[in-house]
Amino acid sequence: MIIEIVILAMIAAFLGLRLYSVLGRRAEHEEEPVPTRFERGETGNAPRQMTTSAVELPNNSREIAGFPPAIEQGLRDISVADRRFDLLSFLEGAKAAYGMVLEAFWRGDKDELRQLCDDDVYQSFSAAIDQREAAGETLDNRLIRIEDTVVHMARLDGRVARVAVRFTADIAAVTRDKEGNVVAGSLNDAIESIDVWTFSRDVNSADPDWLLDETDEG
């Protein structure tokens, strides 16, 4: 009986040692960190460098989808070149600039126009202001509302982004002579105005502001 107990104890001890050996190795293996494909370094297969077309997707890709192909491609090119470009923010800024430029032109404020326009557009506005002042006329115009704002064109020319926006607005226009008499227009009748303005910006510039560089009637 004692011999059987001794034999059973030896068998139990042997099985216990075997079980500990297996579990011990498994635990040690589970505690070792498994290298990812980004952590293998020189000892493993290095992760591939993703191409620009694979990773540089615009943050606002949903907003720029649905445009005609040429416009959509232009917006995507601009978004890739300028990671700060956001279409919705740009359009809000364009609407604000539209009102600021019109009002500066109407009151003959060349200093403000100088800050908002490139050289060619500024010279055009400045010449019109000089001509108006020489005739002794003033404008008493009012921007009633902007009905619609639509991207008309978008492209990346080298490092210069250009986006044309078509504005549909209601404007009440009055021209007065030097005595203040109305010589044209009426503040009571707003006229629909359609303008296509092109804004540009150097995508490598630290200056985030866009300049008006072309104006056309819609």
Side-chain angles (χ1 to χ4, degrees):
M1 184 68 177
I2 295 176
I3 295 175
E4 292 177 356
I5 294 173
V6 171
I7 291 174
L8 290 174
M10 291 177 64
I11 293 173
F14 175 77
L15 292 175
L17 288 173
R18 292 288 296 171
L19 183 61
Y20 174 81
S21 175
V22 172
L23 292 176
R25 284 201 300 268
R26 182 178 297 171
E28 291 174 356
H29 176 71
E30 289 174 350
E31 290 174 358
E32 293 177 358
V34 179
T36 68
R37 64 193 182 101
F38 297 104
E39 298 170 340
R40 289 180 184 135
E42 297 178 356
T43 60
N45 295 326
R48 292 182 303 168
Q49 292 292 331
M50 295 185 183
T51 63
T52 299
S53 60
V55 299
E56 296 292 337
L57 294 177
N59 293 328
N60 54 351
S61 57
R62 214 166 17 176
E63 285 80 6
I64 65 181
F67 286 96
I71 295 177
E72 182 174 333
Q73 185 59 52
L75 291 172
R76 291 188 183 278
D77 291 342
I78 294 170
S79 295
V80 170
D82 181 3
R83 302 299 295 174
R84 296 175 297 180
F85 178 74
D86 178 81
L87 179 59
L88 297 181
S89 297
F90 168 82
L91 288 174
E92 286 300 314
K95 287 173 64 175
Y98 181 72
M100 292 170 65
V101 169
L102 286 180
E103 290 172 5
F105 172 68
W106 293 337
R107 66 175 179 266
D109 189 340
K110 293 183 181 180
D111 290 338
E112 185 166 358
L113 290 172
R114 175 72 281 179
Q115 299 176 38
L116 298 169
C117 308
D118 76 349
D119 292 340
D120 291 340
V121 174
Y122 170 76
Q123 292 299 333
S124 177
F125 280 135
S126 179
I129 291 172
D130 291 341
Q131 183 178 9
R132 189 172 71 217
E133 291 178 348
E137 295 177 343
T138 58
L139 297 180
D140 187 14
N141 294 359
R142 310 288 170 81
L143 176 60
I144 307 301
R145 68 182 65 85
I146 298 176
E147 296 283 359
D148 197 18
T149 306
V150 179
V151 177
H152 184 72
M153 178 278 297
R155 69 173 182 268
L156 183 67
D157 293 334
R159 64 181 189 181
V160 178
R162 287 190 169 85
V163 181
V165 180
R166 185 175 69 246
F167 298 97
T168 302
D170 293 332
I171 296 175
V174 170
T175 302
R176 300 181 184 274
D177 61 19
K178 56 185 177 181
E179 281 81 28
N181 300 314
V182 175
V183 295
S186 170
L187 289 178
N188 297 322
D189 298 318
I191 299 174
E192 183 181 79
S193 176
I194 300 177
D195 298 297
V196 177
W197 286 12
T198 303
F199 300 89
S200 66
R201 178 180 174 273
D202 185 339
V203 296
N204 293 333
S205 173
D207 186 352
D209 293 335
W210 293 68
L211 292 177
L212 176 61
D213 78 355
E214 188 176 343
T215 61
D216 292 298
E217 294 183 358

